[in-house]
Amino acid sequence: MWSEAEEKEVALAFDLETFDEDFVENPYPTYRAMRRHNPVCRLPDGTYFISRYQDLVTIFRDEERFISDKKVDFRKKFGDSLLFEHHTTSVVFNDPPLHTRMRALMTPFFSTHALSTLRPRVETFVDGLLDRIEEKKPFDLMTDFAQALPLNLVGDMLGVPVEERVRLADWAVLILGALEPALTEENFKKGCAAVEEFKTYLRALIESKRRSTAPRDDFDVLGALVDAETLEGKLSELELLHNCIFLLNAGQDTTTSLIVNGIEALFRFPESLELLRRRPELITTAVDEMLRLESPLQIGNRKCMAESDLHGHRLPEGAFLYIGIACANHDETVFDNAEELDIERYPNKHLAFSKGIHTCAGNALARLEAEVAIGKLLERFPKLTPVSELVRGTRARFRSVVSYPMATQ
Ligand code: HEM
């Protein structure tokens, strides 16, 4: 625990380009310092980090003043590269009208009806994973379980053959990793190569989808996007390619991280684990609380288009903003006992899926996956125990995990 003076010093020295291992391991003490002492923080490179819950809500709700289009800033970061092409064409980094067009195409696949037909598929898939784990002792929660579910569901959505799916996970990490505030030359090159390989791969997949006369199934997102491509004004080839890549990336690391960090939190708060085992119907509020406590996407971005006042703090026109999603989700003025896992917390107005027009399109799918995965894992293995500590990735934007070894008895 820091003294008041130390906390102030941490908040004033905050820099997203030079964070250390302690910050990656546990960013929450630093985030508390930011909320208390430097809530609209000007970083050394001239960008801003926003940390208080109410400020995030103001930003998310005003999409005309705080835009998502990143062409100007990504030109500086990525130059005229494939990473620039990708990140400026995907739905999440655009404003209306491209955003509205893309979002309208995706929405039907994530409706309540679509997801209710998907639930049995998720359950069967999770049961299969658990059967394999039962034979493998010990097992890694990350690689043997949590990674497989989102990868295969999004693989199904885009019709990627099962044996080719593992490549997608590697590409996703390289492409999204390039969004980290500090980007090395090596990671930049790897990110560009990943976009190139992904595009080549998808072009072939799209070509075979265009030629296919087989009936489209309920969950054939690629088929729907390809059909939309032929309607004038709907989708260009580049929009199609990059939004498929985005869909493949958006739902993977995030959902995997939710499942693994959620289980880790249960072991850190054993009374919650015991309660959830006793009352499995609490899984819905438990998953929301896991999203709040360990938000998979920790930091978002916006650009401020006009000089603004955030509860008494000035933001200049043109400022590039880092949005502290995980930080705001620990805001003690909004959440009681914010540093604790309370699986009965309700209502839980966390911002893990953001708010406003960019609210995560796949949020109900991610919740469904986590509820089924965590629920079934605890039900099947009453003696589930970690055999060593969770190993973290090195990223600040994502709450990523490398491994979490477990035993089932
Ligand atoms: C726990 C898992 C997930 C988390 C924490 C998460 C988080 C987010 C957040 C915070 C945003 C908004 C970013 C912003 O406002 O700038 C977002 C957008 C998006 N997410 Fe997710 N996501 C998750 C899973 C998924 C899944 C499973 C899919 C689909 C397969 C998905 C698809 C999308 C899409 C398409 C957008 C863009 C929405 C738009 O710009 O209108 N996400 N996600």
Side-chain angles (χ1 to χ4, degrees):
M1 201 60 181
W2 290 318
S3 70
E4 186 80 0
E6 285 168 335
E7 204 179 55
K8 231 178 228 174
E9 206 177 304
V10 167
L12 293 175
F14 185 65
D15 183 358
L16 270 175
E17 292 200 7
T18 56
F19 55 83
D20 59 15
E21 266 176 39
D22 289 347
F23 176 75
V24 173
E25 198 56 48
N26 180 10
Y28 304 110
T30 305
Y31 285 156
R32 178 174 185 272
M34 303 303 294
R35 287 190 305 275
R36 296 190 66 218
H37 302 291
N38 203 359
V40 177
C41 165
R42 190 171 191 281
L43 299 170
D45 66 357
T47 60
Y48 286 77
F49 184 86
I50 317 295
S51 55
R52 286 185 182 161
Y53 183 95
Q54 293 306 342
D55 287 338
L56 265 70
V57 172
T58 302
I59 290 171
F60 285 143
R61 284 205 174 127
D62 189 348
E63 72 273 357
E64 285 181 11
R65 181 176 289 256
F66 299 103
I67 65 165
S68 290
D69 183 300
K70 304 284 185 305
K71 290 185 190 68
V72 173
D73 301 275
F74 282 174
R75 176 70 73 192
K76 288 184 227 151
K77 187 175 174 112
F78 299 131
D80 189 15
S81 67
L82 281 171
L83 276 170
F84 176 82
E85 182 184 286
H86 170 67
H87 285 305
T88 53
T89 313
S90 68
V91 60
V92 74
F93 291 144
N94 270 284
D95 302 312
L98 172 64
H99 173 264
T100 321
R101 260 193 301 140
M102 274 311 306
R103 179 90 194 198
L105 287 172
M106 290 175 181
T107 302
F109 292 97
F110 301 104
S111 67
T112 317
H113 168 72
L115 293 178
S116 65
T117 61
L118 190 66
R119 182 175 271 272
R121 196 191 292 216
V122 176
E123 289 176 344
T124 307
F125 192 78
V126 170
D127 285 337
L129 288 173
L130 294 174
D131 291 344
R132 263 175 271 156
I133 285 172
E134 199 149 29
E135 292 159 14
K136 193 175 174 190
K137 306 164 183 171
F139 73 101
D140 194 303
L141 187 66
M142 174 73 189
T143 49
D144 294 324
F145 185 65
Q147 257 179 349
L149 177 62
L151 181 62
N152 283 288
L153 279 179
V154 185
D156 278 1
M157 280 161 96
L158 295 185
V160 177
V162 175
E163 62 285 1
E164 291 170 13
R165 291 178 184 177
V166 71
R167 274 198 289 170
L168 308 181
D170 297 337
W171 287 332
V173 169
L174 295 172
I175 295 170
L176 294 178
L179 294 174
E180 284 292 304
L183 176 64
T184 62
E185 185 60 27
E186 191 192 349
N187 287 347
F188 170 70
K189 285 190 183 144
K190 284 185 179 166
C192 289
V195 178
E196 172 129 50
E197 286 168 34
F198 219 145
K199 275 176 76 178
T200 308
Y201 177 76
L202 276 176
R203 270 207 186 94
L205 206 62
I206 287 168
E207 209 29 63
S208 78
K209 185 61 75 177
R210 280 192 189 119
R211 282 199 308 267
S212 162
T213 50
R216 308 265 191 243
D217 100 353
D218 275 359
F219 204 51
D220 183 357
V221 178
L222 186 64
L225 295 178
V226 165
D227 293 345
E229 190 195 24
T230 57
L231 303 173
E232 204 173 325
K234 280 278 183 175
L235 272 186
S236 70
E237 160 108 354
L238 273 188
E239 286 167 353
L240 176 65
L241 284 169
H242 288 300
N243 282 291
C244 287
I245 294 178
F246 177 71
L247 261 188
L248 280 162
N249 292 346
Q252 260 185 69
D253 247 19
T254 45
T255 314
T256 302
S257 147
L258 169 59
I259 296 169
V260 184
N261 287 308
I263 294 283
E264 190 275 339
L266 287 174
F267 282 104
R268 212 170 351 121
F269 294 92
E271 64 292 352
S272 291
L273 176 60
E274 196 269 325
L275 178 62
L276 189 56
R277 283 196 182 285
R278 232 178 337 107
R279 295 185 50 206
E281 72 278 9
L282 290 177
I283 190 67
T284 308
T285 47
V287 165
D288 260 309
E289 178 65 346
M290 291 161 182
L291 282 158
R292 184 195 68 79
L293 191 74
E294 293 288 4
S295 305
L297 183 63
Q298 297 249 306
I299 301 174
N301 297 109
R302 288 292 185 273
K303 192 174 182 74
C304 172
M305 296 310 284
E307 184 171 322
S308 304
D309 175 87
L310 282 182
H311 301 99
H313 299 272
R314 188 187 151 274
L315 270 183
E317 177 183 339
F320 185 81
L321 312 181
Y322 288 101
I323 309 291
I325 292 176
C327 180
N329 281 339
H330 284 237
D331 192 326
E332 45 289 279
T333 65
V334 179
F335 302 101
D336 292 338
N337 302 320
E339 301 303 328
E340 285 171 25
L341 181 80
D342 170 4
I343 62 166
E344 292 183 281
R345 194 185 293 276
Y346 187 85
N348 190 339
K349 295 187 172 174
H350 66 75
L351 301 172
F353 291 122
S354 115
K355 252 191 179 324
I357 62 167
H358 290 281
T359 300
C360 175
N363 78 81
L365 174 60
R367 283 187 166 103
L368 169 68
E369 289 179 64
E371 285 175 25
V372 173
I374 295 170
K376 279 185 174 279
L377 182 75
L378 295 181
E379 186 189 345
R380 174 80 77 100
F381 302 124
K383 293 185 181 159
L384 186 75
T385 331
V387 292
S388 56
E389 303 246 306
L390 176 150
V391 180
R392 281 239 163 266
T394 51
R395 292 184 284 164
R397 242 177 100 81
F398 287 92
R399 194 79 176 125
S400 61
V401 178
V402 175
S403 75
Y404 195 23
M406 298 242 145
T408 53
Q409 46 197 315

